Amino acid sequence: MTDPEEFFRRDDAIFANKELLEINHLPTNDRIVGRDEEIKQLANATNPAIFGQSPSNVLLYGKTGTGKSLCAKHVSRTLVDIADEEGINVRYVYIDCAQDTTETQTARSIAFGFNDPDETGITIPEKGISTSAYYKRLWEILDQQTDVAIVILDEIDKLDSDSILMQLSRAGEAGKICDCKIGVIGISNKIKYKDRMDERVKSSLCEREFVFPPYDANQLREIMDARKDAFHDGVLESGVIPKVAALAAQEHGDARKAIDMLRYAGEIAQSRGDGTVKESYVTEAREQAETDRFRELIRGATPHSRYVLQSLALLSLNSESDDQFRTTTIYDMYERVCGEHASEPFLSAAFVIS
Ligand SMILES: Nc1ncnc2c1ncn2[C@@H]1O[C@H](COP(=O)(O)OP(=O)(O)OP(=O)(O)O)[C@@H](O)[C@H]1O
């Protein structure tokens, strides 16, 4: 019988500190490259918190992987430490609005993020209480736990309404609802997001706006060089990082994709029992990074957008050429796919398809 023991590795010949290349890793100061100006502006906007005053609300724009979340978290983390030295209690929470799209979910997650139940004695149930009850607990928690609260709302455009923003901006207005000062850092990939905001929310939330430009190949190379110690000495072929940087720069300068590609290239070497991460592995790593990204995009789409996509994929698979398909052909396939998912097709999907 095969002994599974022979398939386990007791040491890692490739990675010395793989965590540096993991998606959720928040790098330290010395590993953050090429965002000095953005960090300076964000620090200026949130500086009043150090004196216990209201920070400016900020909106950050930029394409995916341009360091928006990283800079927002990094500046907030530093702010908390400096304020602490000045005797001011600042805390921050990070909310992914792609996960928490409704007002209730967002209010609950913010309350949960700021709450230390041992200190407040307040619990935040997953469900079973009303939106206003979540708010009530949130204001109470903020009053008890902090002088200044920073709320980072990533993918803010995914919120299904402005209600939570309205509440946060009202609460932030000196002492109206709670005594704590509140600053919001909104993050979006959609430059036009502001256009659909309520005027009142817009004037309060968009006190300052910063656009994060894409990285060029040199910056991407520096970002990866600063994390090179994720690998053991000498295992990375010298051409790997420049190749990853060049490919990622071609695809709108996305640092996440670059770091993913680098990690995958290492994993490919590892899975083949190769002691060297070869430049030739980068092409495969790129495909894997693209598949991941696509999977993530699809996961965020509505069920019917996924059914339309599945229909197109099925038609393309069964087609000899790359011909275009008639709307009726796609709609027929879409109806079939909906049937397989026990879902009623939307008539309006025909307009979307056409
Ligand atoms: N200037 C930088 N220096 C070091 N690492 C960076 C830098 N910019 C981005 N990264 C890394 O790239 C990845 C993506 O960055 P981040 O999540 O901040 O991008 P984003 O602009 O918020 O993207 P999205 O809009 O998709 O959330 C993270 O792992 C981050 O650590």
Side-chain angles (χ1 to χ4, degrees):
M1 202 197 286
T2 312
D3 182 355
E5 195 175 335
E6 67 182 275
F7 299 110
F8 286 108
R9 289 183 308 269
R10 288 179 190 267
D11 50 24
D12 189 332
I14 299 291
F15 295 105
N17 186 3
K18 195 175 176 190
E19 194 200 327
L20 293 175
L21 303 177
E22 300 289 355
I23 287 177
N24 291 325
H25 174 71
L26 188 57
T28 44
N29 216 358
D30 51 325
R31 297 184 199 269
I32 300 178
V33 175
R35 281 295 181 236
D36 294 348
E37 190 51 34
E38 289 76 7
I39 288 174
K40 182 172 139 197
Q41 288 173 329
L42 253 175
N44 279 339
T46 50
N47 204 138
I50 291 174
F51 318 114
Q53 296 166 4
S54 296
S56 298
N57 293 320
V58 187
L59 213 47
L60 309 181
Y61 290 113
K63 289 204 165 135
T64 185
T66 50
K68 303 180 295 297
S69 322
L70 167 63
C71 291
K73 287 183 195 166
H74 177 59
V75 169
S76 303
R77 186 174 60 181
T78 313
L79 179 68
V80 168
D81 292 344
I82 297 181
D84 186 48
E85 287 163 20
E86 297 300 320
I88 300 291
N89 186 350
V90 177
R91 294 193 185 191
Y92 80 92
V93 292
Y94 170 87
I95 306 292
D96 180 359
C97 303
Q99 300 293 325
D100 295 322
T101 53
T102 68
E103 181 185 11
T104 314
Q105 288 168 340
T106 321
R108 185 188 59 212
S109 291
I110 298 174
F112 186 83
F114 281 118
N115 192 28
D116 181 341
D118 293 339
E119 288 177 12
T120 61
I122 300 174
T123 53
I124 308 295
E126 270 292 309
K127 50 187 168 194
I129 63 170
S130 65
T131 309
S132 59
Y134 279 121
Y135 275 125
K136 201 160 164 270
R137 291 184 196 196
L138 170 61
W139 309 139
E140 237 178 279
I141 289 165
L142 290 182
D143 267 343
Q144 283 194 42
Q145 298 258 268
T146 181
D147 299 317
V148 185
I150 305 284
V151 181
I152 304 174
L153 296 173
D154 205 349
E155 301 214 45
I156 192 170
D157 48 277
K158 298 269 166 59
L159 288 175
D160 64 9
S161 80
D162 288 349
S163 312
I164 183 86
L165 306 177
M166 195 97 78
Q167 293 287 344
L168 290 174
S169 86
R170 275 189 57 213
E173 286 165 16
K176 263 191 183 169
I177 298 178
C178 64
D179 290 330
C180 159
K181 308 284 189 303
I182 299 175
V184 175
I185 302 179
I187 302 178
S188 177
N189 296 325
K190 305 206 165 37
I191 197 89
K192 294 207 161 159
Y193 163 65
K194 214 174 77 173
D195 298 351
R196 56 176 217 242
M197 261 186 193
D198 173 276
E199 282 305 320
R200 197 176 163 286
V201 177
K202 197 192 297 184
S203 71
S204 145
L205 197 76
C206 310
E207 289 170 312
R208 309 223 190 157
E209 293 172 50
F210 309 127
V211 178
F212 282 51
Y215 295 113
D216 61 26
N218 283 333
Q219 289 172 314
L220 290 170
R221 218 173 47 215
E222 282 179 49
I223 289 173
M224 286 181 282
D225 274 337
R227 301 192 194 195
K228 227 161 60 177
D229 49 335
F231 295 91
H232 285 296
D233 280 347
V235 302
L236 263 188
E237 253 183 23
S238 62
V240 171
I241 287 183
K243 186 163 178 183
V244 172
L247 288 174
Q250 275 168 19
E251 296 163 21
H252 55 253
D254 178 344
R256 179 181 295 111
K257 201 156 186 186
I259 293 169
D260 281 348
M261 271 195 260
L262 189 60
R263 190 182 64 251
Y264 286 140
E267 285 173 357
I268 291 168
Q270 200 175 43
S271 67
R272 296 191 183 158
D274 193 340
T276 307
V277 184
K278 301 205 171 78
E279 199 180 319
S280 58
Y281 294 161
V282 173
T283 318
E284 279 173 67
R286 177 200 201 179
E287 274 170 32
Q288 205 164 331
E290 259 160 26
T291 312
D292 268 11
R293 181 88 195 112
F294 196 60
R295 191 178 296 126
E296 206 178 292
L297 282 175
I298 296 175
R299 198 183 297 136
T302 61
H304 283 268
S305 322
R306 289 203 295 264
Y307 302 156
V308 172
L309 208 57
Q310 188 181 345
S311 315
L312 286 169
L314 285 169
L315 285 169
S316 306
L317 272 178
N318 297 327
S319 158
E320 302 272 288
S321 63
D322 285 338
D323 280 351
Q324 294 179 346
F325 303 105
R326 298 176 70 86
T327 306
T328 47
T329 314
I330 303 174
Y331 193 79
D332 287 347
M333 181 60 91
Y334 162 72
E335 278 186 316
R336 246 183 62 193
V337 171
C338 286
E340 283 166 16
H341 292 276
S343 179
E344 279 295 308
F346 282 137
L347 253 182
S348 55
F351 295 107
V352 178
I353 292 165
S354 62

